[in-house]
């Protein structure tokens, strides 16, 4: 697991993936770039996180069929109800990414969007987030993804709560 300094190419990679999806699927409301690669100045694992937003479960089922036809493999909700994960191993676009499909009022989707938007609007929060990531990497090492994620979610939960509680 490598955390890299922010790279503007991540926006271009998202755009490439978004255009690929827009050409090949029709059943969605929006395609959102989320996660650290979507926030200018934020250090991140160089993996593009995408949330595809759908109206409801019926639209999800139609989109699931479309995604399957272009090589995505449905992996279920991975323990987060309302957020369906897809593997991209057989997709003909060689950009590392995570693709999730969420119903428009899903709590995880709304959390992703709010966190992204708050950090995009506040460079001080970006700096604080980068320092947190550096602290975690110093403690767990750069090749320990499981502990990195666990520490970020448990010991630094306060940061996410702070960002998400802002008006």
């Amino acid at each position: 697991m490598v955390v890299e300094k922010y790279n503007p190419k991540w926006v271009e990679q998202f755009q490439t993936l978004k255009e690929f999806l827009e050409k090949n699927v029709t059943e969605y409301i929006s395609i959102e770039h989320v996660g650290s690669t979507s926030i200018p100045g934020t250090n991140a694992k160089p993996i593009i996180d995408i949330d595809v937003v759908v109206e409801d479960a019926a639209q999800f089922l139609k989109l699931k069929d479309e995604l399957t036809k272009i090589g995505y493999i449905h992996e279920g909700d991975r323990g987060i109800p309302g957020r369906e994960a897809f593997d991209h191993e057989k997709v003909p676009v060689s950009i590392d990414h995570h693709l999730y499909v969420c119903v428009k009022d899903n709590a995880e989707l709304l959390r992703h969007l709010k966190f992204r938007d708050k950090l995009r609007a506040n460079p001080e929060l970006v700096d604080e987030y980068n320092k947190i990531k550096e602290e975690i990497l110093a403690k767990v090492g750069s090749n320990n993804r499981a502990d990195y994620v666990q520490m970020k979610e448990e010991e630094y939960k306060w940061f996410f709560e702070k960002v998400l509680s802002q008006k």
Side-chain angles (χ1 to χ4, degrees), residues 8-21:
K9 79 174 181 180
W10 295 334
V11 174
E12 296 168 19
Q13 289 176 327
F14 167 73
Q15 221 28 65
T16 298
L17 290 163
K18 182 178 180 186
E19 289 168 9
F20 170 74
L21 290 166

Side-chain angles (χ1 to χ4, degrees), residues 14-164:
F14 167 73
Q15 221 28 65
T16 298
L17 290 163
K18 182 178 180 186
E19 289 168 9
F20 170 74
L21 290 166
E22 288 172 337
K23 287 177 186 171
N24 290 285
V25 299
T26 60
E27 294 293 334
Y28 63 89
I29 295 171
S30 67
I31 300 170
E32 301 289 339
H33 188 187
V34 295
S36 293
T37 62
S38 72
I39 305 163
T42 303
N43 301 336
K45 297 180 296 296
I47 302 168
I48 308 302
D49 289 318
I50 299 172
D51 284 349
V52 180
V53 183
V54 294
E55 185 70 36
D56 53 28
Q59 189 175 37
F60 164 71
L61 292 174
K62 294 174 188 173
L63 177 60
K64 178 182 165 191
D65 288 342
E66 291 179 330
L67 291 171
T68 300
K69 288 177 185 168
I70 58 173
Y72 284 97
I73 299 166
H74 183 230
E75 296 184 323
D77 68 9
R78 291 189 184 164
I80 301 176
R83 186 193 81 170
E84 300 294 324
F86 288 81
D87 182 272
H88 69 281
E89 189 175 318
K90 297 182 180 185
V91 174
V93 178
S94 60
I95 297 171
D96 200 5
H97 64 287
H98 296 144
L99 183 98
Y100 303 100
V101 177
C102 304
V103 174
K104 68 180 179 184
D105 57 356
N106 175 266
E108 187 70 8
L109 167 69
L110 299 176
R111 189 181 71 77
H112 282 174
L113 297 176
K114 185 173 184 179
F115 187 81
R116 176 197 69 190
D117 294 346
K118 291 293 180 188
L119 265 69
R120 281 180 174 175
N122 191 328
E124 293 81 22
L125 288 175
V126 170
D127 291 341
E128 189 175 357
Y129 194 31
N130 285 336
K131 287 177 185 155
I132 287 169
K133 289 181 175 199
E134 290 170 16
E135 287 175 22
I136 296 170
L137 287 171
K139 291 176 183 176
V140 303
S142 61
N143 293 320
N144 191 342
R145 184 176 182 160
D147 285 352
Y148 175 86
V149 171
Q150 182 178 2
M151 184 172 280
K152 195 165 87 168
E153 290 176 356
E154 292 175 5
E155 291 187 36
Y156 293 91
K157 184 178 180 181
W158 61 266
F159 176 74
F160 298 95
E161 290 171 351
K162 172 179 132 175
V163 171
L164 295 170

